[in-house]
Amino acid sequence: MGRAPCCDKANVKKGPWSPEEDAKLKAYIEEYGTGGNWIALPQKIGLKRCGKSCRLRWLNYLRPNLRHGGFSEEEDNIICSLYISIGSRWSVIAAQLPGRTDNDIKNYWNTKLKKKLLGRGKNSRMNRLSAISGQDPKDANGGEENNYLQNLSSSALERLQLHMQFQNPFSFYNNPAFWPKLNPFQDKTIQSLQFLNASNNQNNPIQGISISPQQAAVECSTISNLKAEEHQNSESSNFVGQSNYKGIEPVSGFTQTELNYLLNNESADCLPTLSQNIAEFDCFKEMNETKDNLGWWSNDFVDANSASSNSWDSATKVNQSEELYQVYTLGYGMQ
DNA sequence: AACGAATCCAACCGCCGGTTC
DNA sequence: GGAACCGGCGGTTGGATTCGT
């Protein structure tokens, strides 16, 4: 049996709100509150609107103390940092920015901040390729890479790209207590890695691999429940302080200086590791060009997932880890 | 000035989890 | 216990606006 619609869609108005509708809704809520029932609200007021639409209008536009546009650099940093840490949980991010709505932040990220952030890295790569080859940067970045990108969800890709710009000292594979029980997906990864190892020249082991296939598979797996719970438990305690967002220490480990560099073109001279990584920044550079370093994967993968996993249900975990598995296997030509 | 492309953002959609009955 | 209901959320859409040629 299907779910009953929240309203009679044939008799509700859709589209932009008129000033009269806004005034009615605002006046009623300010005087009587929502009454704990958005669905019944439009009928009480005499609005031909869906209750959900009323709720959205109130929350995103009419309620007091809202700010629109004009995001500060500090807010940019917070949004960026939180996005990298917890993903597209806009309501959580909005909770750290007084006066901002999740919708506003989501739009701001999608239209401006994302481009600002990822554009930097992309340009760095393009410029580097251009300098090396003398080619037009647009041509230097082959179509094959674009095919990889098309196979990824934007969220997974963005966050992976951002994570790749930094070295994270947290070593997942050095902490067996965090290793989850293997599931079929992980077994698949193991098999792929074993195949990869077997097909590689035994005398030419992949340089720099410091982990076993089992360990790599663990890293490519869904993040362990332990890490998820750990983060979930720590999440609320992180978001405390004089202002709402003071005290946040994102799981990604971005420092203020690093974020300033990414967002505001500040100097990276004082960031040897960062500047090195930025200069080489591209999602699949290491995969495509060297196949010799899995170090970034272990840390970044684990970190990206652990940070966002606290809201995953089991199906989502599988899907997201599958996405990252795609990153992994596509990059190494396993598929 | 005119047109198409790109961008912005308000609003909608559908899913999920919690609550109520 | 489970169906119905509701609020909340993130993803997506499409109209309006701005930009580039």
Side-chain angles (χ1 to χ4, degrees):
Chain A
M1 177 178 171
R3 206 192 138 111
C6 66
C7 55
D8 181 3
K9 296 195 183 296
N11 291 319
V12 296
K13 184 184 171 191
K14 290 164 78 170
W17 281 62
S18 69
E20 293 76 21
E21 289 176 311
D22 281 346
K24 269 188 181 180
L25 182 62
K26 193 163 189 281
Y28 184 89
I29 293 178
E30 281 178 349
E31 187 164 356
Y32 304 106
T34 65
N37 189 341
W38 285 105
I39 303 300
L41 195 65
Q43 286 183 329
K44 290 180 188 170
I45 310 174
L47 283 175
K48 288 191 173 182
R49 289 279 182 176
C50 172
K52 279 187 164 190
S53 181
C54 292
R55 174 184 165 272
L56 214 59
R57 185 67 180 169
W58 171 255
L59 291 177
N60 288 339
Y61 195 80
L62 296 176
R63 73 184 155 106
N65 302 322
L66 282 181
R67 292 181 292 152
H68 293 286
F71 282 81
S72 68
E73 285 184 8
E74 187 183 15
E75 287 175 313
D76 285 0
N77 289 345
I78 291 162
I79 294 168
C80 171
S81 184
L82 284 172
Y83 182 86
I84 293 164
S85 289
I86 65 176
S88 56
R89 296 176 63 199
W90 305 116
S91 59
V92 175
I93 296 173
Q96 311 310 315
L97 299 172
R100 301 295 187 186
T101 70
D102 54 355
N103 208 39
D104 255 5
I105 294 170
K106 178 172 58 183
N107 282 333
Y108 182 58
W109 170 265
N110 284 331
T111 59
K112 292 177 185 171
L113 210 48
K114 179 170 69 179
K115 293 168 189 168
K116 190 176 176 182
L117 212 60
L118 294 179
R120 274 192 69 83
K122 198 74 177 176
N123 290 340
S124 297
R125 172 81 198 286
M126 299 283 248
N127 292 340
R128 185 181 60 83
L129 286 170
S130 177
I132 292 170
S133 66
Q135 282 182 277
D136 183 327
K138 293 192 191 79
D139 298 328
N141 201 21
E144 192 179 358
E145 196 169 71
N146 290 335
N147 290 337
Y148 293 158
L149 305 183
Q150 288 170 2
N151 283 310
L152 304 172
S153 82
S154 58
S155 176
L157 176 59
E158 287 156 16
R159 294 177 61 209
L160 186 61
Q161 285 180 319
L162 292 168
H163 271 272
M164 285 183 62
Q165 297 173 59
F166 302 94
Q167 298 291 329
N168 191 311
F170 177 71
S171 177
F172 179 78
Y173 55 82
N174 284 334
N175 294 278
F178 290 153
W179 298 358
K181 186 174 181 291
L182 297 185
N183 60 28
F185 160 65
Q186 293 160 352
D187 286 335
K188 182 182 173 185
T189 310
I190 290 175
Q191 287 167 17
S192 297
L193 284 163
Q194 286 173 338
F195 173 77
L196 175 68
N197 278 346
S199 61
N200 270 290
N201 186 334
Q202 288 186 346
N203 295 324
N204 184 27
I206 302 173
Q207 294 178 358
I209 287 189
S210 59
I211 56 175
S212 68
Q214 172 96 2
Q215 288 169 329
V218 169
E219 291 167 16
C220 293
S221 75
T222 55
I223 187 60
S224 72
N225 291 334
L226 264 175
K227 284 298 295 177
E229 289 167 11
E230 177 186 76
H231 181 65
Q232 188 164 29
N233 291 338
S234 65
E235 185 178 53
S236 57
S237 61
N238 274 342
F239 298 158
V240 295
Q242 192 170 5
S243 72
N244 280 7
Y245 45 77
K246 262 190 180 170
I248 292 175
E249 190 169 350
V251 178
S252 63
F254 279 65
T255 67
Q256 186 64 44
T257 313
E258 289 166 345
L259 286 170
N260 283 341
Y261 169 76
L262 285 169
L263 290 166
N264 308 320
N265 285 327
E266 290 184 7
S267 169
D269 292 345
C270 59
L271 302 167
T273 304
L274 173 62
S275 58
Q276 180 184 344
N277 287 340
I278 288 290
E280 300 295 315
F281 169 51
D282 184 83
C283 186
F284 299 107
K285 173 195 169 291
E286 289 84 351
M287 290 179 174
N288 290 332
E289 295 181 3
T290 67
K291 291 188 177 182
D292 66 359
N293 186 352
L294 287 174
W296 66 269
W297 178 258
S298 58
N299 294 332
D300 290 323
F301 182 94
V302 168
D303 205 34
N305 279 283
S306 66
S308 61
S309 60
N310 56 347
S311 67
W312 291 357
D313 57 23
S314 57
T316 309
K317 285 177 184 175
V318 169
N319 287 340
Q320 296 204 13
S321 56
E322 287 280 11
E323 285 174 359
L324 285 154
Y325 173 79
Q326 279 189 331
V327 178
Y328 185 85
T329 55
L330 281 169
Y332 278 89
M334 293 177 186
Q335 291 179 343

